[in-house]
Amino acid sequence: MRDYTYLNGARFSINNLFRSLRFDIDRLDMSWVDGEKPEFSRGLRVVDNDAVNTVTVDGEDADNLIYSLTYIFSKEDGQEAFRTATDNYLAVALETKNFLVTSQKKDPEGKSEVVEAVIH
């Protein structure tokens, strides 16, 4: 696997932070010379290998994603339980675009979202 990618013509280095059976979370860092700082220069990329979907997040969403991974890790016992909980969280987060695990609520029918079990 190469250790760089291109977004909007700019080259970013890739550092893998998390890998499960379904998802990869990579940190994207760009260095630039001369000219103005590009709008997107550092963030996270979430790759859903089952749905062949890639989402790039930065700013508050990236902060919420890292916070949520740390939160889930502190609540789960064992690597497999953490990976399962994280896969469930990321499936909901990518669908709703809500990357803060503690704010993922019940659906309109009143059923708990998959991730709510992690919170309790």
Side-chain angles (χ1 to χ4, degrees):
M1 184 172 131
R2 65 183 185 181
D3 61 349
Y4 63 90
T5 190
Y6 289 93
L7 295 172
N8 299 329
R11 184 175 168 159
F12 288 81
S13 63
I14 299 172
N15 296 300
N16 186 263
L17 300 177
F18 174 78
R19 176 168 287 150
S20 70
L21 296 174
R22 180 173 176 181
F23 293 99
D24 285 309
I25 298 177
D26 302 319
R27 189 180 82 220
L28 302 175
D29 295 312
M30 184 184 87
S31 59
W32 66 93
V33 189
D34 300 327
E36 292 184 28
K37 176 182 170 184
E39 188 173 315
F40 179 87
S41 63
R42 178 169 288 129
L44 301 172
R45 176 178 70 175
V46 180
V47 180
D48 183 345
N49 296 308
D50 286 357
V52 190
N53 183 26
T54 300
V55 175
T56 305
V57 297
D58 64 344
E60 187 176 348
D61 285 340
D63 291 344
N64 289 341
L65 175 59
I66 291 298
Y67 166 80
S68 296
L69 290 175
T70 305
Y71 182 84
I72 293 168
F73 183 77
S74 71
K75 296 291 183 186
E76 295 298 324
D77 292 329
Q79 183 70 14
E80 288 307 312
F82 169 65
R83 283 184 164 188
T84 301
T86 301
D87 279 357
N88 293 335
Y89 151 72
L90 286 170
V92 172
L94 291 177
E95 184 178 320
T96 64
K97 303 295 185 221
N98 182 357
F99 292 95
L100 188 60
V101 70
T102 57
S103 65
Q104 290 181 355
K105 302 289 184 197
K106 295 182 179 182
D107 67 15
E109 298 172 349
K111 296 180 183 174
S112 294
E113 291 286 358
V114 186
V115 178
E116 193 167 313
V118 174
I119 297 171
H120 300 293

